[in-house]
Amino acid sequence: MDRYLVFGHPVRHSKSPFIHTLFARQTQQELEYGLAEPAVDEFAHALRTFFDQGGKGCNVTVPFKEQAFTLVDRLSTRAKRAGAVNTIKLTDDGVLLGDNTDGAGLVADLKSHGVTLADSRILLLGAGGAARGALAPLLAELPSELVIANRTHTKAQQLAAEFHDLGPVTAQAYEQLAGPFDLVINSTSASLQGELPPLTPALIHTDIAIYDMMYGASDTAFISWAKQHGARQTMDGLGMLVEQAAEAFTVWRGIRPGTKQVLRELKRNLGVI
Ligand code: ATR
């Protein structure tokens, strides 16, 4: 049976096996999908061993995405832009192809929630790996403006300069942000510590869409804060997780699974509904 897995550390709580097993059942593909948690300095060896032993493809998550970028034979355009690899496929001619489906997953999830990206003003919070992965797919949707704000402002400036050729992207310091924005995407890891990015509540209005790439069984700190200040449309990163997985599955198997039912089952599994 064709073997796939996700590399990460820690990875025990990953939802990827659950999601891909449901995709496989739905599309009647014969495959198994597992977990691998190599020591941080053992990833390169573990990856090589997996493919030497017949593995067909893998996902890569924290903290290995940047290292995976350096280990594959060939990179997709979107992986090159993201500077990180979250999906690897062994092609029929034995090439390890590195791809990145995170940004496509974000855009697909935003669209499935009915969010309009064309001609919109987008505020992206954070300038780390998650922000970098989102930029090219967001700019491809032709927003009128994409502003990056980051705690360390120089990182936002660097990122904006790097993606400037793809669209109207600029960096603004948190304290200088000028709205109104149609969509705010939180790519920071602040919610992990229950913290909030230093955003003024004045930017939140009833028609704004709020997206937090993080998720949990209850609202993230950022989503709670936005609701408290009047945001009516809030979304967490669970849908992005399922959509990036669907994109990876499509890369591997050439068949696109449906995501709605899988997302519902995942929510039930997490105790969200
Ligand atoms: P990831 O790969 O998830 O993007 P990362 O590369 O470590 O992780 O980036 C984390 C991002 O969250 C950074 O933009 C970080 O801001 P700094 O560049 O200033 O470090 C941001 N971040 C983390 N905690 C934050 C907090 N409490 N408030 C605001 N931004 C925060």
Side-chain angles (χ1 to χ4, degrees):
M1 197 178 312
D2 289 350
R3 284 196 305 124
Y4 297 83
L5 50 71
V6 54
F7 284 100
H9 198 122
V11 82
R12 240 157 295 162
H13 300 296
S14 168
K15 301 297 168 202
S16 292
F18 183 85
I19 295 169
H20 283 286
T21 301
L22 291 183
F23 284 164
R25 197 177 303 158
Q26 180 204 115
T27 57
Q28 297 176 334
Q29 298 281 297
E30 290 257 328
L31 60 87
E32 58 177 41
Y33 190 106
L35 298 168
E37 193 175 76
V40 170
D41 56 356
E42 294 272 323
F43 171 58
H45 177 70
L47 185 71
R48 206 171 316 118
T49 306
F50 171 66
F51 283 108
D52 284 350
Q53 292 178 350
K56 293 284 183 197
C58 65
N59 285 127
V60 181
T61 186
V62 181
F64 299 129
K65 291 185 191 186
E66 282 79 15
Q67 206 184 331
F69 182 86
T70 68
L71 294 171
V72 294
D73 301 320
R74 207 192 302 149
L75 290 162
S76 68
T77 308
R78 58 191 182 179
K80 272 187 211 154
R81 274 292 184 177
V85 158
N86 81 332
T87 300
I88 302 177
K89 174 187 179 164
L90 181 66
T91 66
D92 290 341
D93 40 2
V95 171
L96 277 191
L97 176 68
D99 198 359
N100 192 311
T101 66
D102 285 332
L106 169 68
V107 167
D109 193 36
L110 284 165
K111 287 184 176 174
S112 85
H113 282 95
V115 176
T116 305
L117 297 170
D119 284 326
S120 67
R121 292 195 72 206
I122 303 175
L123 172 60
L124 177 62
L125 308 178
R132 180 182 292 275
L135 275 169
L138 285 173
L139 289 168
E141 298 299 319
L142 307 178
S144 60
E145 193 176 358
L146 198 165
V147 175
I148 308 171
N150 192 47
R151 187 173 57 180
T152 312
H153 183 52
T154 49
K155 276 170 69 181
Q157 287 174 311
Q158 279 163 17
L159 209 50
E162 203 179 308
F163 284 83
H164 193 66
D165 60 321
L166 294 186
V169 55
T170 56
Q172 279 174 25
Y174 273 108
E175 58 278 12
Q176 277 160 7
L177 286 169
F181 291 101
D182 303 304
L183 167 65
V184 180
I185 300 170
N186 181 21
S187 83
T188 76
S189 46
S191 289
L192 282 181
Q193 292 96 41
E195 290 173 4
L196 288 168
L199 195 63
T200 170
L203 286 173
I204 307 300
H205 54 88
T206 49
D207 294 328
I208 203 165
I210 299 287
Y211 198 99
D212 195 340
M213 288 195 196
M214 298 282 157
Y215 62 86
S218 52
D219 280 348
T220 67
F222 184 64
I223 286 184
S224 302
W225 174 87
K227 279 183 176 172
Q228 214 177 304
H229 292 286
R232 289 186 305 204
Q233 186 178 21
T234 58
M235 297 151 275
D236 72 12
L238 201 58
M240 175 177 171
L241 176 74
V242 175
E243 294 293 348
Q244 66 74 30
E247 187 75 18
F249 192 93
T250 309
V251 168
W252 292 326
R253 309 299 298 187
I255 176 166
R256 182 170 290 275
T259 50
K260 282 208 163 60
Q261 181 64 25
V262 174
L263 181 57
R264 209 170 303 130
E265 297 211 21
L266 185 59
K267 283 185 179 165
R268 203 170 296 135
N269 177 268
L270 282 169
V272 182
I273 51 173

